[in-house]
Amino acid sequence: MSSTTIQILEITAGFYFFMGVILVVFAEPIYNWAQGSSLPLFTKGLFGQAIISYYNVKTRGAEAGLSHWGYCLGFNAGVSLSVALIIAFGVTLIIIALYIIAGIIGLMILGAVLGGGK
């Protein structure tokens, strides 16, 4: 694997771990917040199910069942992948902006050189 791929996987794994720790530790307060929030019903359902699964994993441990463990892992994977893609997209936009700025500066220098610097 290339070093870029390894770096993206490391970032994703870091977010995956971080989101898992946050959601397991704060499952109950987040669940209470999600119940009273104005999230769309579909998002609220997915988010609520993840919180319920995290709460079950936190309170029951290994006895929570494969469905709760699977949902927790799937939710974490989705969140970490989304965050990694957002970061990659942001970095790409920054690089494109820097290339555009460098191109404009290069054209200004070229114009000054070809125009005789009047």
Side-chain angles (χ1 to χ4, degrees):
M1 280 193 271
S2 70
S3 63
T4 305
T5 305
I6 292 172
Q7 196 170 29
I8 289 173
L9 289 174
E10 287 175 348
I11 290 170
T12 304
F15 279 113
Y16 181 82
F17 177 74
F18 179 73
M19 287 300 298
V21 168
I22 293 293
L23 287 172
V24 167
V25 170
F26 298 107
E28 191 170 1
I30 293 172
Y31 177 69
N32 292 334
W33 169 81
Q35 279 184 326
S37 72
S38 61
L39 291 170
L41 187 59
F42 180 72
T43 306
K44 192 183 251 187
L46 291 176
F47 190 69
Q49 177 59 41
I51 298 303
I52 289 169
S53 291
Y54 275 105
Y55 185 73
N56 283 327
V57 167
K58 179 183 175 184
T59 57
R60 295 183 189 165
E63 297 174 1
L66 289 178
S67 63
H68 291 297
W69 279 98
Y71 203 91
C72 289
L73 292 174
F75 188 77
N76 264 7
V79 168
S80 62
L81 183 62
S82 298
V83 170
L85 289 176
I86 289 170
I87 290 172
F89 183 69
V91 168
T92 303
L93 289 179
I94 290 170
I95 290 171
I96 289 171
L98 290 174
Y99 273 115
I100 290 172
I101 291 169
I104 291 171
I105 291 172
L107 288 175
M108 290 173 60
I109 292 171
L110 185 62
V113 168
L114 293 178
K118 296 181 184 177

